[in-house]
Amino acid sequence: MVRKTLLDTNLLSKRLAALGTVSATALAFSTSAIAQDAASDAQPEASQPEALDDNTIIVTADRREQSLQDFAGTAFVVTGEELLQRGVQDFTDLQDEIPGLSVANNGGNVEVFIRGIGSSNNTELGDPAASFHFDGVNIPRPSGIGSAFYDIERVEVNVGPQGTLRGRNATAGSVNAISFKPGLGIWDAGLEAEYGNYNQRSLRGALNIPIGENVAVRFAGLYLAHDSYYNNVGPVQGIGVAEEVENFSGRAQILFKPTDRLTVVVAGDYISEGGTGYTGTNYALPLGEIADGNLQSLDQINDPRDVIARGITPDLNTDHWGIRSTITYETDDMTIEYIGSYRDAVYDYEATTPLSPNFPGVIDALSGGAGNPNADIILQESLDNFSRFRIISDSRSQFHELRLFNTEGPWIWSVGAQYINEKQFSFLGSTGDRTPFFSGIEFNTNTDSEAWAVYGDMTYSVTDRFRLTGGARVTKDKKERNGVAARYAIALGDGNFNCCLGVRVGTEGFEFAARDRTIINPDTDADGTISDQEVFDFYANGIAQFGDRDNLDEILNFGPFPGFFGTVPGRPDCLDTNFGDGLTCNGFEPSGQFTFGVPFQGQIFQQDGNYEDEFFDWRLRGEYDITDDHLVYALVSNGHKSGGFNDNLGDLGVAPTYETESVVLYELGSKNEFYIGDVRARLNGSIFYNDYSDQVFTSLLSVAQAVQFTNTFGGQTITLPDNTSQALIVSFSFNAADSEIYGAQIDGGFDLPANISLDFSALYLEAQIKKAEDIQDFRFQADVDAANAVFRSIEGRRLPRTPKWQLNAKLSQVFELPTGQLDYVISAGYRSSQFHTIFNSLEFDANGNASTVTDGRLLDKIDGYFTMDIGAGYTIDDAGKYRIEAYANNVTNSVNEAAIIITQFDNTRFFTRPRTYGVRVRARF
């Protein structure tokens, strides 16, 4: 039966409908319910959404439309209207808006964590732990999809394992963005223009056109641009910095309904994201200055986006397009639905990272310290450093699903089969300008993934008020990859035959070859060995164009040369690129040329890895309507995130594997609507426990560290091929621990007099490692600091991105005027302190004793913080055709880290948006 929803939709449609799911104690607050009949026919997920009644917020967490209050589980809904009210530009803006949801842009990669479960493996070998869907289609790589957040009906966040209904890689939950569909017989058009600080300007529009009685088309588009949130305050001006945006997107859909039974929707979309992307801010220098006593605290950094820029202006180019079709046919006994999609997402980003945020004494720190007699040359070398990187990811995916379902009781069921195929080209290249020994890295690979699944889910109404649900899914997952990974290092002799001078590489005009590389196997003569000349040829093949001031091309073109005394015709001139390395071109060897130049061997690894797994997902649930407005439920569900393999260690060496993760959720909840006097109220809540097994961590490790961990705890024995360099840094994933995540969540709301609405939500969360093997401290690099790059215990550590307390509240009011209406909304949030690595800001002494750091590179703790957003609007006419709005997000301009990366040399932080404000005008025709 469909339970009556009490709350007024005109107010609810302006709310962040944070569902929560309460323990049965919430019933103590309820009063006698108003019993009224309400009925509605639930529509297929892919069909044109319709409200179940005038008071209903829709959710499709069970793959069928139902009231949010009727759904026996935890989900959140944000309506398209709320997205506009809050000035939401993309999915990452939901960070801090929903308790339990963490969304971070980590160097252009969108990382989603739900109640502490997520994935930070952003390579081609990784997969998200929260599956993302757009109009029911699985999006394996969400690059650029944030710019599709226009003409959106709602965004649903389903909390907890969704393995049965949503499939692979949904251990944390799932996100489903649902766009407005074409409407038959409806002429409709809308246009919205916006201008805000940072020179933000946007234009959104939608047009619905009926064609006869059975066809309709809908067009929608977006243009959004703003200046950089960063400021280059360094000595070298004219270099652009991160977070400038210029995006545009378009979507076209056609709806064909030739009969009452058959519905066909065909859609296509294109997204382009440009600008300067996301470099983050490296805090290593100021944290080091604090440790040395030269800086008091990080509070002296007024704005982390005021940075000392160097090198090039970052350049982002993302092109993401797709087509899909949804065919639905209704028989007398069931509905048959097919969804098919093809998507191509290309993310291409090239940048140099800023040297440091601005702080008192930053120039002195970059100059080797106050009073350094060589300050000018040291500073010049720091500013004239073109160490750069380029990342390319091209994901081409197919999604096919055939589903049969019935939404009429007493048996509500769904069975189906699903197939996902993804082909990826991945490139990561970097240059080490002026760096001794090291001159760059390259990963150039192709990865193929496939997943097949069959599933079934059923809800049976035992009585009018008591229902039981059971479901199961079997998934087979397969992934394989080939290509090459390399670390480039050349031994260059100075004038005294000392090693090793750096090179100039990556300066103005430099271009990686990337896709155009033609040599994958450096052993081009197939003699079973890789000569020094073949290493040079391989390196040169990966560069399309050397920079204007590079000298690496002269070295590679001349070829390897052993030690010489005296002038050799054509041998490259010696160049001292690093004043502080103690090397000099003016030695006892008089030629002024490099005295020797040979590559370090064993640093080119051909890649050939694969992994297959099969797993079983299931769920069980019981729910009972105490009255039409009071629901209690209990559920158990699980989900799996597929395992995989790592980079081959050595040339065609072993690719260490890691096993599939699993999460089992136990949840008790209650949902209630009632009156307190004349005030309508809602109170929902839940208690939950997640049993998280074989949790995977991803770290940047040297080959030496990866081998040591795998041989010790990975259940595999690795013997490296001869002459393998163990200094190459690889992204390494491994099963580290079993964890437990538990807590309680509540949400509620009141419809107060004078058209005032008050909504609130709160989450109490505990999340820690329950059992684990010691793991290597990935914050240190074995070839740099072997004493600290050792195994440490992580048992009892708190999981990253899990604030213990997460609170949100919203106050809104509507004033009815003689003509039109005036309304406002004030939203506030609080997140308690949290960590961003599993080592929880701990450092260890020589005896392994741990202590908490309050400064320095190892600091990964984020203190608790508040957020506040406000918005107001005036609807000019009673028909609601014309409207003016103003908004301000992050009113207090608090600086909040969304992600932190700690390596041997870095403490790089990515932030939520600064304070933004603006005005919008909207018209409907």
Side-chain angles (χ1 to χ4, degrees), residues 267 436 452 531:
W452 302 262
S531 68

Side-chain angles (χ1 to χ4, degrees), residues 760-828:
F760 61 89
S761 56
L763 172 65
Y764 172 76
L765 186 66
E766 290 289 352
Q768 58 266 329
I769 300 292
K770 182 172 57 175
K771 179 183 178 182
E773 304 286 355
D774 291 356
I775 69 171
Q776 282 189 312
D777 193 335
F778 50 75
R779 302 171 298 175
F780 298 91
Q781 197 168 307
D783 61 333
V784 178
D785 189 352
N788 282 304
V790 297
F791 288 86
R792 306 290 190 191
S793 172
I794 59 171
E795 287 190 2
R797 303 285 180 251
R798 190 171 185 90
L799 296 183
R801 306 189 195 189
T802 57
K804 180 177 291 188
W805 293 102
Q806 304 178 46
L807 311 173
N808 285 89
K810 187 179 74 164
L811 179 69
S812 61
Q813 186 174 13
V814 176
F815 300 93
E816 299 293 344
L817 304 176
T819 302
Q821 71 174 33
L822 182 68
D823 53 76
Y824 70 85
V825 58
I826 302 172
S827 300

Side-chain angles (χ1 to χ4, degrees), residues 618-640:
W618 52 269
R619 71 167 184 158
L620 296 171
R621 182 179 66 192
E623 53 186 301
Y624 183 74
D625 295 325
I626 297 175
T627 71
D628 287 352
D629 297 306
H630 304 285
L631 167 70
V632 293
Y633 67 87
L635 68 87
V636 183
S637 67
N638 86 326
H640 288 83

Side-chain angles (χ1 to χ4, degrees), residues 335-378:
T335 299
I336 304 170
E337 179 185 73
Y338 166 76
I339 301 176
S341 172
Y342 175 83
R343 302 203 68 84
D344 187 350
V346 180
Y347 172 84
D348 188 346
Y349 187 46
E350 188 166 16
T352 53
T353 56
L355 291 169
S356 170
N358 190 35
F359 60 86
V362 64
I363 298 301
D364 286 340
L366 290 171
S367 304
N372 190 311
N374 301 302
D376 290 344
I377 188 170
I378 295 174

Side-chain angles (χ1 to χ4, degrees), residues 708-757:
Q708 184 181 5
F709 180 86
T710 303
N711 287 344
T712 305
F713 298 115
Q716 304 167 68
T717 300
I718 295 179
T719 301
L720 292 175
D722 293 340
N723 299 319
T724 296
S725 169
Q726 300 189 41
L728 178 65
I729 302 302
V730 295
S731 176
F732 189 78
S733 296
F734 49 94
N735 299 100
D738 295 336
S739 301
E740 57 181 3
I741 303 169
Y742 58 92
Q745 188 156 5
I746 65 170
D747 82 274
F750 303 94
D751 288 346
L752 302 169
N755 285 335
I756 297 174
S757 292

Side-chain angles (χ1 to χ4, degrees), residues 199-225:
N199 193 30
Q200 177 162 314
R201 57 270 186 211
S202 72
L203 189 66
R204 294 174 173 86
L207 174 64
N208 194 98
I209 303 174
I211 303 175
E213 296 181 354
N214 302 322
V215 179
V217 294
R218 187 175 185 91
F219 302 97
L222 164 73
Y223 173 79
L224 171 66

